[in-house]
Amino acid sequence: MTTTSTATTLAHVDHVSRRFGSQLALDDVSLDIRSGEILGMLGPNGAGKSTLLSLLQGRRRPSSGTVELFGGRPTDARYRARLGSTPQETALPDTLRVGEVVDLVAAHFAERVPTAELSDEFGFADLLRRQCGALSGGQKRRIAVALAFVGRPSLVLLDEPTTGLDVDARHGLWAAIRRHRAAGTTVVVTSHYLEEIEALAERVVVIDRGRVIVDDTLDAVRSRVSSSIVTLRTSDADRVRELPGIVMSQPSEAGGRLELTISDSDEFVRVLVTSGLAFEGLTVRGSSLEETFLALTDTSSTIHSEGIRS
Amino acid sequence: MTSTTTTTSALDAPTVSPLRLYRAHVRAILVETMRVPIAVIGAMAFPAMSLLFFVVPNRAVADDPVFATQAVISLSVFAVLASSLFNLGLSIAESREKPWDPYLRSLPLSSTVRIGAQLTATSVISLAAIIPVVLLGALTTAAEVSALGFVLGFAVLAVTSIPFLLIAVCIGYAFASKAAIAIIQVVMFGFAFAGGLFLPPQLFPEWLDAISRFIAARHARDLVISAAEVTAPELWVLIGVLAWTVIAGALAVWLYRRDEGRRYR
């Protein structure tokens, strides 16, 4: 991958680990966030996505390694002047009115989007006089995401921005995120929905158990993900696994069966038949995105690994 | 993979005036407090009730201008102490458990501005809390003070509230809210008794008086009384206020920087 000369590194995470007591939330993570991209951060709940964002926001310090934001430590408030983010769990102060919260957050930035413009864009113009405690979850979510953009930031971190939104609201939010991306804002969006990352991101980082296990373009990840599951019984598992086109193999739970993740199942079946290897009970089915993603984040499965018993 | 290694620096970006930010935060905290005014009403009622129940019926104190003035001052110091500990200490401990506070930390907001705004907003509430005590004292006791003494006493009361506020910040950032409630009550009543706010130190046994001289509430009380009487304070009182301010201040900044919000495991 080649970045153009205009792309700059907005944030730089270098061999960062973060512990909470005995629990290792991030394990030697290195990551650059470059200007002009939407970076999708994918991973199951508890994988370390939010911890990584909290380090970028300067809310927490790494246990080891360094985090740089706009060329400085994010724990120094000055380096957060061009960073926008959303409150976690969409918590807004219950007794403040929506307009007051928008103005309070906006007061931290040299340039701001006028409240009327922001509330029109994110669809809460009719809620400005309401106290935040009276809002529904979906309304809070839209306002929380809007707050990330109020200071015209260069880099926006969105943690699970559309959780709990209905389909219409979700698509509306995606459109807004894309508009800001087109206007030059760099966006990092975490999600445990593949669909969301597919809809938004150009680059995908998959985090699992505190480690970055994939960092690639969306197209590359998608091609890994759009695959088929072939299962068969064979007495010659070792040689079957050496056939081309296998992304991942694991012994099936059902005993004696081999389950293969295949990028091109038609081609694989042709190769399998012509190889003359013995097999029976062949089934082919398309793997769901969710399934392959789970396989990617499941360490019990073996990727191109030796030593599989048939 | 090739990538440019250029790194942008944020420091050339235009910045926001800290004063503007400070005002915005003071305003937001006060608006939040006033929308649930029971905390303020409680802070106003308790010292005033103490005066009505314990000082006013005791005519030996209430009818003596010197004792009555000292009693009103002591309860004013208590009002400020209680308001600082509860309104600042407890609200910090509680807000650390909600995700809004960590969010504010992700904004370009320095700890000085945020803590400064919390201190100021609490001072406004403390001011409200002493009004009933002072009014009741003037109406129902022989307490008296010269115009100069009133202004001086008031100014000194404001200054001596700083250690209380800093102690409250320390408690708020060091403890979870449930623990903070208990600690605040212990500190509040411990300071009030040992500091001579409920019983004048003249009645203390020698050992208690010795301990009392290390208590911030005693320094505040003695200093405000000196100011109201327009007399020079004793040196140890001044040193005491200064020491509490410096130590609690350093601890507060350290605790704030160390704090990363609550995390449950």
Side-chain angles (χ1 to χ4, degrees):
Chain A
M1 193 174 87
T2 309
T3 53
T4 62
S5 58
T6 53
T8 55
T9 302
L10 302 184
H12 181 60
V13 175
D14 190 24
H15 294 290
V16 161
S17 296
R18 170 68 211 222
R19 299 182 167 280
F20 294 104
S22 61
Q23 181 199 346
L24 192 58
L26 288 177
D27 184 5
D28 195 30
V29 168
S30 293
L31 192 69
D32 276 358
I33 298 166
R34 291 177 291 270
S35 62
E37 63 184 3
I38 296 187
L39 192 159
M41 210 179 274
L42 199 55
N45 286 328
K49 306 184 299 281
S50 298
T51 303
L52 183 54
L53 291 198
S54 73
L55 296 179
L56 287 166
Q57 292 169 330
R59 279 167 38 212
R60 296 200 168 102
R61 290 177 181 76
S63 306
S64 65
T66 55
V67 179
E68 254 184 33
L69 180 73
F70 297 112
R73 295 280 158 107
T75 45
D76 182 338
R78 293 173 302 167
Y79 292 99
R80 301 193 297 260
R82 292 197 285 144
L83 179 74
S85 45
T86 49
Q88 271 204 309
E89 300 160 38
T90 64
L92 305 171
D94 285 343
T95 53
L96 289 186
R97 299 186 199 286
V98 172
E100 290 167 341
V101 171
V102 172
D103 287 341
L104 176 63
V105 174
H108 296 79
F109 297 95
E111 272 184 82
R112 65 161 297 181
V113 180
T115 304
E117 189 185 322
L118 191 77
S119 59
D120 278 343
E121 179 177 9
F122 289 90
F124 58 93
D126 53 331
L127 303 174
L128 289 172
R129 297 281 307 154
R130 295 268 288 277
Q131 288 189 6
C132 294
L135 301 175
S136 75
Q139 291 168 333
K140 283 184 185 174
R141 180 69 65 180
R142 288 205 298 276
I143 292 160
V145 173
L147 290 178
F149 292 95
V150 71
R152 301 193 192 279
S154 312
L155 174 62
V156 168
L157 309 177
L158 301 175
D159 197 3
E160 310 270 349
T162 63
T163 305
L165 290 187
D166 59 39
V167 175
D168 278 354
R170 174 173 298 182
H171 286 207
L173 212 51
W174 287 352
I177 292 170
R178 284 196 207 98
R179 261 198 312 279
H180 283 275
R181 155 74 182 80
T185 311
T186 304
V187 180
V188 176
V189 53
T190 77
S191 184
H192 52 270
Y193 299 124
L194 268 169
E195 188 202 354
E196 179 153 87
I197 299 298
E198 279 199 288
L200 289 172
E202 291 138 4
R203 179 178 160 209
V204 180
V205 169
V206 180
I207 296 190
D208 184 46
R209 294 163 209 224
R211 289 178 156 274
V212 172
I213 57 173
V214 175
D215 180 356
D216 216 331
T217 62
L218 176 66
D219 289 340
V221 172
R222 193 184 267 149
S223 70
R224 276 170 89 164
V225 160
S226 59
S227 51
S228 308
I229 306 283
V230 172
T231 55
L232 49 82
R233 265 195 302 274
T234 177
S235 54
D236 220 350
D238 286 346
R239 288 180 61 197
V240 169
R241 278 191 292 103
E242 279 162 16
L243 294 174
I246 300 177
V247 176
M248 191 171 63
S249 62
Q250 58 181 332
S252 167
E253 296 290 319
R257 289 182 74 84
L258 195 58
E259 190 174 293
L260 306 165
T261 305
I262 307 291
S263 49
D264 181 347
S265 55
D266 300 334
E267 178 60 24
F268 176 77
V269 171
R270 251 179 252 121
V271 171
L272 177 65
V273 171
T274 51
S275 73
L277 292 167
F279 68 90
E280 56 182 17
L282 178 83
T283 62
V284 179
R285 61 186 171 87
S287 76
S288 68
L289 297 183
E290 212 64 46
E291 194 173 37
T292 317
F293 168 64
L294 284 176
L296 275 178
T297 58
D298 182 2
T299 50
S300 68
S301 65
T302 324
I303 302 176
H304 293 299
S305 152
E306 301 298 320
I308 292 171
R309 283 164 294 122
S310 52
Chain B
M1 179 172 109
T2 61
S3 82
T4 50
T5 52
T6 342
T7 301
T8 55
S9 172
L11 296 187
D12 48 359
T15 50
V16 175
S17 131
L19 202 64
R20 204 187 95 190
L21 204 49
Y22 164 80
R23 277 203 305 268
H25 276 270
V26 172
R27 192 176 167 277
I29 297 169
L30 284 177
V31 168
E32 264 190 278
T33 311
M34 294 309 170
R35 295 229 169 106
V36 190
I38 191 67
V40 184
I41 292 168
M44 291 169 80
F46 190 59
M49 280 160 60
S50 304
L51 188 82
L52 276 181
F53 294 152
F54 300 115
V55 177
V56 174
N58 183 354
R59 296 319 296 183
V61 174
D63 291 336
D64 182 289
V66 174
F67 288 158
T69 308
Q70 291 193 352
V72 170
I73 288 174
S74 297
L75 286 173
S76 300
V77 170
F78 178 71
V80 171
L81 173 69
S83 155
S84 304
L85 289 174
F86 274 104
N87 285 301
L88 188 59
L90 193 54
S91 65
I92 288 176
E94 279 174 348
S95 66
R96 283 197 311 127
E97 287 160 20
K98 297 175 188 159
W100 179 249
D101 195 59
Y103 173 66
L104 289 179
R105 285 159 179 275
S106 78
L107 296 172
L109 168 66
S110 73
S111 53
T112 331
V113 170
R114 176 68 181 160
I115 292 185
Q118 286 172 324
L119 297 186
T120 308
T122 308
S123 299
V124 173
I125 299 166
S126 300
L127 176 64
I130 61 172
I131 290 171
V133 184
V134 172
L135 280 181
L136 277 174
L139 295 174
T140 61
T141 72
E144 57 178 25
V145 65
S146 67
L148 177 64
F150 186 81
V151 172
L152 274 182
F154 198 77
V156 170
L157 181 60
V159 172
T160 55
S161 73
I162 293 171
F164 298 158
L165 293 167
L166 294 171
I167 292 166
V169 173
C170 292
I171 294 172
Y173 282 110
F175 299 101
S177 65
K178 287 212 171 95
I181 291 178
I183 305 236
I184 282 168
Q185 285 174 341
V186 169
V187 170
M188 183 175 79
F189 286 110
F191 269 32
F193 280 110
L197 304 184
F198 290 161
L199 274 180
Q202 293 91 316
L203 302 180
F204 282 180
E206 209 166 290
W207 62 268
L208 185 55
D209 189 49
I211 295 173
S212 173
R213 285 163 186 257
F214 292 96
I215 303 289
R218 173 73 184 274
H219 307 142
R221 175 193 179 275
D222 285 11
L223 213 53
V224 177
I225 289 174
S226 305
E229 293 171 348
V230 200
T231 55
E234 290 185 62
L235 186 61
W236 64 267
V237 178
L238 286 173
I239 293 171
V241 170
L242 205 64
W244 273 99
T245 306
V246 169
I247 294 168
L251 192 61
V253 170
W254 180 75
L255 283 167
Y256 179 91
R257 296 219 167 121
R258 187 202 63 155
D259 178 58
E260 298 186 335
R262 291 277 296 161
R263 190 188 150 91
Y264 295 97
R265 279 189 287 274

